[in-house]
């Protein structure tokens, strides 16, 4: 269908969005709408008309109503409006982009112009300086010439010379250089020496000069050199002398960096000294000192141990010191009533919780007396294996209470405790315990102490002695009074207002709380949140727990507390120090850990090849019993390790694969299985995965709670590694009367048993002139023609040796038996 113009009707999807709308009128009535698009021109009939312009309804296109036509026209007008707005927005954005480009171009040109003007001004200044310098030189030359003016006869010769140029005017040679310079610039553009040191926007857009250009710093250095040359020559900079910190070993490049010298120069100096090193190699401190002095600097020696300088070691002022509670250590022989005596003072029952009634840990407690005085008690074990624990107790204490049983007198650990107290230089109070027993003899105790230079007051000495009974409570008040008197004499003071420091009494690995250390604060105040370093470990105080199990916010001097928040289990006896930052604590702990590794490596390494071979040869002849030890606390693990190391002799020894605290884990089972060692658990148990792994791999786990039984069992197991002792029992002698040659057998000796008995299974020796010629076994033992097992004394027999035929008449045969005897360790 088409209208009068031959155009097709408007479709809904045509290009009407960007066309123009024209209306044609016929007979005063709108017939159609003409839409001009970029692609084609279409005609849209108006509502009420047909495509042919007739108002006849049947001639209208089917399906196109007036409302539809109105809707199409409105959509067309909306599309046209949107397109107009889009065109306007695009035009506006294009104008803004053009303005921005113009602005940037103007800024770049202005900046380039400023740079060019600055360079021209600097160039003019340099030329002006050069001109002034030439004028000055010419003036001085003229004055010098006037001073040495020639005779009048030489005037004609001077007149014949060319007239000098004006001041500042270029000479012919100068003009020739300028022409050559201009010619060079005209042919090839600016020379390399006159290139601009900065890349401009125009150069970047148009391509500019290709290749690498000088930086602004290079241009400034060049201009500085030109200025110094114009002002009368180059002036060397003054040498800067630096303080160079040099550790025990330093890399060559780092040394050059600290001296602000070129690495190549440092390497060159080292090569002059005969050291062919590169910049990535390390040199020792002495060599670095020679290099530093060669370059004119000052060397400051530092070491890795300087990281510990952050620990506060300032001496406290007298006005800052305040009174503190005394620290009393209970020491003595095992089963002399140390813990029972402390229980009576504390009104507690600590000994009931110890296995076998034997104290195997260091306990720290605080007691308040009836008079209100606060006392800190340390209870140490009395067993021989806990020597190191008693030594630690004596080192951190102020007063030692030596407990001696009245019915047992002085024993080995009592003597050891006396020696520890004397070595620590602390006063001693003797508590004669078990005075209520019928066999008690306190005077014998006082007399025995005289042998160890401990003279009590009743023996006209200075050491206080108190007769007490932990069972009945007799003499406890007198003991506390003696302790208070001794503490008053000592005048114990400390500064609570400083960074805390203390000693680790005991350490353990708690399943629920992690590493826990029992710390006796010696100076300052330990607060919750403090960052500290203790031995090879560090941490932040997460919680403080006192001896009664209550959480506290802080702990002052002489207060024992459990510290939570460590990153690992420290060693018993380590010193705790509070530092400022976590980085300092970590750095100190890392240094101490590395130093400990180096010490262990140095102690276990053989220094020479001969020593290494001798050690390997000695180890071949020594049987080892490997064991793996896990204990509940660090002190017990240390004591067990020390006790087991003493088990053995030159033939057998105990080797501890690993010693630690905490429960037995699956990794412990793996280590024990690889070495074929049993696992010893002291007051700890294996977890479920470890038990399953031990059952599968056949690893033996032994549990102990008393150190007596542990040491005895290990000693019995080590005794099984001893080679049995072989003893020889002589059972008879036989004399060879004659020899016979028997085919298939060899030489057979006809013998007479002169003593004892000759047995077929026994060993024999052939003696010739009382010298052993051969030792071996019998091939045959015959009585007449029969093979027999033994021949009694006084009877004749025939003997043939195994693999030996050189028997002669008159030789003596010695018959003996070997017996193996089991050996045990003492």
């Amino acid at each position: 269908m088409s209208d009068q113009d031959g155009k097709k009707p408007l479709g809904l999807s045509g290009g009407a969005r960007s066309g123009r709308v024209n209306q044609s009128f016929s007979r005063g009535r709108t017939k159609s709408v003409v839409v001009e698009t970029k692609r084609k021109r279409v005609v849209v009939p108006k509502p009420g008309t047909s495509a042919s312009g007739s108002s006849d309804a049947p001639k209208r296109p089917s399906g196109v109503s007036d409302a539809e036509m109105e809707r199409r026209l409105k959509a067309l007008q909306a599309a046209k409006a949107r397109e107009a707005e889009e065109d306007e927005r695009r035009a506006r954005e294009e104008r803004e982009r053009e303005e921005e480009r113009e602005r940037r171009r103007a800024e770049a040109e202005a900046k380039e112009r400023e740079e060019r003007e600055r360079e021209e001004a600097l160039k003019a200044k340099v030329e002006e300086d050069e001109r002034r310098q030439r004028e000055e030189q010419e003036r001085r030359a003229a004055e010098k010439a006037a001073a040495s003016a020639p005779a009048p006869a030489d005037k004609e010769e001077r007149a014949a010379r060319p007239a000098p140029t004006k001041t500042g005017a270029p000479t012919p040679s100068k003009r020739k250089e300028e022409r050559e310079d201009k010619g060079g610039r005209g042919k090839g553009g600016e020379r390399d020496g006159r290139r601009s040191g900065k890349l401009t926007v125009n150069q970047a857009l148009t391509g500019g000069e290709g290749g690498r250009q000088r930086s602004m710093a290079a241009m400034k250095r060049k201009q500085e050199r030109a200025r110094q040359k114009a002002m009368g020559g180059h002036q060397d900079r003054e040498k800067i002398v630096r303080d160079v910190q040099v550790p025990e070993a330093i890399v060559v490049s780092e040394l050059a960096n600290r001296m602000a010298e070129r690495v190549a120069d440092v390497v060159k100096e080292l090569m002059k000294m005969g050291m062919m090193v590169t910049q990535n190699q390390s040199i020792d401190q002495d060599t670095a000192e020679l290099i530093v002095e060669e370059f004119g600097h000052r060397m400051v020696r530092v070491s890795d141990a300087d990281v510990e300088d952050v620990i506060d070691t300032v001496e406290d002022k007298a006005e800052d010191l305040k009174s503190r509670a005394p620290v009393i250590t209970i020491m003595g022989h095992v089963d002399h009533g140390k813990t029972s005596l402390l229980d009576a003072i504390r009104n507690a029952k600590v000994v009931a919780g110890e296995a076998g009634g034997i104290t195997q840990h260091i306990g720290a407690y605080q007691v308040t007396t009836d008079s209100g005085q606060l006392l800190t008690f340390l209870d140490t074990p009395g067993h021989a294996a806990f020597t190191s624990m008693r030594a630690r107790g004596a080192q951190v204490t102020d007063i030692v209470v030596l407990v001696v049983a009245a019915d047992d007198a002085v024993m080995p650990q009592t003597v050891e405790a006396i020696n520890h107290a004397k070595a620590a230089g602390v006063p001693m109070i003797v508590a004669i315990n078990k005075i209520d027993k019928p066999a008690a003899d306190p005077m014998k105790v006082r007399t025995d102490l005289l042998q160890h230079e401990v003279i009590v007051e009743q023996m006209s000495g200075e050491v206080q002695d108190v007769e007490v009974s932990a069972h009945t409570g007799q003499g406890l008040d007198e003991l506390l009074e003696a302790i208070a008197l001794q503490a008053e004499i000592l005048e114990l003071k400390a500064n609570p207002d400083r960074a805390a420091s203390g000693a680790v009494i005991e350490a353990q690995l708690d399943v629920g709380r992690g590493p826990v250390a029992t710390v006796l604060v010696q100076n300052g105040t330990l607060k919750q949140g403090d960052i500290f370093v203790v031995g090879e470990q560090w941490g932040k105080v997460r919680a403080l727990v006192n001896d009664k199990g209550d959480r506290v916010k802080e702990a002052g001097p002489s207060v024992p507390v459990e510290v939570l928040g460590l990153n690992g289990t420290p060693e018993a006896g380590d010193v705790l120090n509070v530092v400022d930052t976590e980085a300092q604590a970590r750095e100190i702990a890392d240094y101490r850990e590395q130093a400990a590794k180096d010490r262990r490596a140095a102690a276990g390494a053989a220094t020479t090849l001969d020593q290494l071979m001798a050690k390997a040869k000695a180890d071949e002849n020594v049987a080892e019993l490997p064991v793996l030890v896990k204990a509940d606390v660090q002190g017990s693990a240390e004591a067990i390790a020390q006790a087991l190391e003493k088990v053995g002799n030159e033939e057998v020894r105990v080797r501890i694969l690993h010693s630690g605290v905490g429960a037995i884990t699956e990794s412990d089972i793996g280590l024990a299985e690889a070495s074929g060692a049993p696992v010893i658990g002291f007051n700890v148990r294996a977890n479920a995965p470890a038990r399953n792994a031990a059952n599968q791999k056949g690893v033996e786990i032994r549990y102990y709670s008393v150190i007596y039984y542990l040491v005895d069992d290990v000693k019995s197991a080590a005794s099984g590694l001893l080679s049995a002792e072989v003893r020889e029992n002589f059972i008879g002698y036989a004399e060879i009367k004659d020899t016979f040659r028997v085919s298939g057998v060899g030489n057979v000796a006809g013998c007479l048993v002169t003593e004892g008995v000759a047995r077929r299974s026994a060993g024999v020796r052939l003696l010739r002139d009382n010298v052993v010629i051969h030792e071996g076994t019998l091939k045959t033992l015959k009585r007449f023609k029969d093979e027999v097992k033994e021949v009694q004394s006084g009877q004749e027999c025939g003997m043939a040796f195994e693999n030996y035929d050189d028997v002669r008449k008159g030789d003596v045969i010695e018959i003996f038996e070997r017996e193996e005897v089991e050996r045990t360790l003492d």
Side-chain angles (χ1 to χ4, degrees), residues 324 326-327 397-400 425-428 483-493:
R324 64 173 179 87
V327 179
T397 190
D398 300 317
I399 303 171
V400 169
V426 294
M428 186 189 310
I483 293 173
L485 177 61
Q486 188 65 58
E488 185 177 353
I489 296 174
L490 294 176
E491 296 182 355
L492 303 172
K493 294 183 178 181

Side-chain angles (χ1 to χ4, degrees), residues 620-659:
E620 289 180 357
N621 301 325
V622 178
E624 289 185 342
L625 174 64
V627 295
L628 191 145
V629 178
K630 293 298 286 292
D632 54 343
V633 295
Q634 188 68 42
S636 296
E638 181 184 5
I640 292 170
Q642 292 176 355
L644 295 184
E645 287 176 355
K646 298 177 182 178
V647 175
N649 54 19
E650 66 277 0
E651 297 182 28
V652 64
R653 67 185 177 192
V654 178
R655 181 164 64 96
I656 299 175
L657 298 176
H658 173 66
S659 175

Side-chain angles (χ1 to χ4, degrees), residues 237-254:
R237 293 182 180 178
E238 183 180 355
K239 178 72 174 180
I240 301 177
V241 180
R242 292 180 170 84
D243 292 331
V244 183
Q245 292 186 352
V246 180
E248 297 173 357
I250 187 171
V251 180
V252 174
S253 58
E254 177 63 21

